[in-house]
Amino acid sequence: VQLQASGGGLVQAGASLRLSCVASGSTLSSLDMGWFRQAPGKEREFVASFRRGVSNTYYGDSVKGRFTISTDNAKNSVHLQMNSLKPEDTAVYYCASNTRGRIITSSIRNPSAYKDWGQGTQVTVSS
C-alpha cells in the first residue's frame, strides 16, 4: 500500500486543520489505521488510530477531545480533524497502516506495529 498524506499548513493557535491520507494499492476498509507525529528532536508520538471491524478509535492523551479520526471507505482515505490547535501540536504528521495483519489493542499506540507509512505532512501552529 502507498499512503499519501496532505492537509498540513501554517495556522494560528486555536485554528483547525483537517489532514487526509489517501491509500493506493490496498483497501483501507480492511486495515487498522493510525496517525502519528514527530517534532524536531523528539520521538514519533501516537496521535490517533482506528481499528477495523470493531470500529474503535484511540487517541493520545495530548490530543484527546480536540482531534477526531475518521474514515471514508468510498474514497479509501482516513482523516484527522484537528481543532483548537496549540503550538505544541507543531510536527510532521504521518499516517500509517499495517498490511501484514491486524494490530492488537496493546500495540495500537506503538509505531513499530505499523509497517506502512506515508511521507508526512507538516503542521505548524504559531502562538
Side-chain angles (χ1 to χ4, degrees), residues 5-20:
S6 62
L10 171 63
V11 297
Q12 290 188 332
S16 298
L17 278 175
R18 185 174 185 254
L19 305 184
S20 296

Side-chain angles (χ1 to χ4, degrees), residues 10 14 16 29-30 33 38-39 41 45 47-48 56 61 65 70 73 78 88 94 96 109 115 120:
L10 171 63
S16 298
S29 61
S30 64
M33 298 296 301
Q38 190 164 19
E45 177 189 9
V47 175
N56 284 352
D61 290 340
S70 62
N73 291 339
V78 61
E88 51 264 44
Y94 299 91
R109 294 174 173 82
K115 306 306 180 185

Side-chain angles (χ1 to χ4, degrees), residues 91-111:
V92 177
Y93 284 70
Y94 299 91
C95 60
S97 67
N98 185 27
T99 52
R100 300 183 187 181
R102 299 303 305 274
I103 301 173
I104 60 175
T105 303
S106 60
S107 296
I108 205 71
R109 294 174 173 82
N110 188 343

Side-chain angles (χ1 to χ4, degrees), residues 79-95:
H79 306 283
L80 185 69
Q81 178 66 42
M82 306 186 296
N83 298 329
S84 302
L85 283 162
K86 304 176 181 179
E88 51 264 44
D89 295 318
T90 295
V92 177
Y93 284 70
Y94 299 91
C95 60

Side-chain angles (χ1 to χ4, degrees), residues 7-70:
L10 171 63
V11 297
Q12 290 188 332
S16 298
L17 278 175
R18 185 174 185 254
L19 305 184
S20 296
C21 177
V22 178
S24 59
S26 188
T27 303
L28 289 187
S29 61
S30 64
L31 300 175
D32 298 326
M33 298 296 301
W35 284 97
F36 291 79
R37 66 188 183 186
Q38 190 164 19
K42 295 188 176 182
E43 294 186 350
R44 193 159 293 189
E45 177 189 9
F46 172 74
V47 175
S49 67
F50 180 90
R51 294 202 69 211
R52 297 293 178 178
V54 294
S55 296
N56 284 352
T57 56
Y58 305 84
Y59 295 94
D61 290 340
S62 61
V63 307
K64 200 172 296 182
R66 299 187 297 124
F67 291 11
T68 303
I69 187 171
S70 62

